[in-house]
Amino acid sequence: MTSTSTVDYQRTDGRALTLTFSEPEGSLRGGLVVLHEADGVTDGVKLLLASLALEGWLTVTPHLENAELTQQDLLDATDITLAWLVERGVEADLLGVMGFDLGGTAALVVASHRRLGAAVSVGGQQTAELPALVEIAGKLTSPWLGMYGDAGDEAGGAEVERLRDAAASAKVATNVVHYPGANHRFDADPGAAAEAWQRTLNWFDAHLR
């Protein structure tokens, strides 16, 4: 399995950020910013980085303080992380972003404020500091795939459908996939998790090329 490394990255303008990353062993296909869940850079996040690196992507997650993460903090951290990828040789049209849980919400925010090759959200935890998903989905500027469970809750399912309708009004390619009965992290439904993983790979394959 590909390993992960952590560095303290500092820009010439003085901005600094701790990054954890994983490099592909073969040819480089592009670069992905992975926005982590509320628990921070866990072993699960590192496994995701390594798994994506095995598919040929240089993957990196910025260490974010999620407790009071504002939209501007998120965008600033993502911009620094994208700059790191470009410095490592990733071309601008081969840059993508993904996230799960709180990071899924963060990925949608980034995809509605930055022009990237592709974006993927797996679940979405809402916070007071970040905008509601349905409010920004129609403003997407990056091709975006969103995958959501509803934990068997009818209201949750209706919310996913509203999100799909909102995203459909964006001027970029979008796809919202609803997994009835799955929770927001897909950890209790191996079938849904496996399908979501394959959809993620297919989305990046289709749009980062």
Side-chain angles (χ1 to χ4, degrees):
M1 175 63 72
T2 303
S3 62
T4 60
S5 303
T6 299
V7 296
D8 291 321
Y9 172 60
Q10 184 159 353
R11 301 279 291 160
T12 55
D13 59 10
R15 293 184 296 171
L17 195 62
T18 299
L19 304 173
T20 294
F21 66 95
S22 187
E23 297 181 277
E25 295 181 354
S27 59
L28 177 64
R29 300 178 61 190
L32 301 177
V33 177
V34 176
L35 299 171
H36 59 70
E37 60 186 335
D39 294 337
V41 183
T42 62
D43 289 342
V45 174
K46 293 178 181 179
L47 177 60
L48 177 60
L49 293 174
S51 297
L52 288 166
L54 285 174
E55 299 293 333
W57 307 104
L58 174 57
T59 55
V60 55
T61 186
H63 290 234
L64 303 173
E65 295 294 335
N66 284 324
E68 299 179 358
L69 181 69
T70 67
Q71 177 173 290
Q72 194 57 55
D73 291 338
L74 168 63
L75 295 174
D76 289 346
T78 302
D79 288 343
I80 293 171
T81 309
L82 290 168
W84 181 86
L85 285 169
V86 171
E87 287 182 6
R88 299 295 292 261
V90 180
E91 297 179 15
D93 59 349
L94 296 178
L95 292 168
V97 61
M98 79 165 295
F100 56 100
D101 197 13
L102 178 60
T105 300
L108 176 54
V109 171
V110 171
S112 63
H113 288 81
R114 300 290 183 265
R115 295 185 183 275
L116 300 173
V120 174
S121 295
V122 183
Q125 178 182 334
Q126 200 64 58
T127 70
E129 290 77 15
L130 297 179
L133 303 184
V134 294
E135 293 178 2
I136 58 174
K139 304 174 184 178
L140 282 158
T141 52
S142 302
W144 176 71
L145 167 66
M147 295 173 286
Y148 299 90
D150 59 21
D153 178 63
E154 184 174 338
E159 186 69 15
V160 175
E161 297 308 316
R162 285 194 290 272
L163 181 58
R164 175 184 286 122
D165 291 342
S169 66
K171 297 180 180 180
V172 293
T174 65
N175 186 19
V176 175
V177 184
H178 179 197
Y179 290 92
N183 64 20
H184 67 287
R185 297 180 64 169
F186 295 83
D187 52 11
D189 191 333
E195 183 180 314
W197 172 248
Q198 192 57 54
R199 284 182 181 273
T200 297
L201 298 180
N202 292 347
W203 191 259
F204 287 133
D205 286 345
H207 293 281
L208 300 181
R209 54 192 309 168

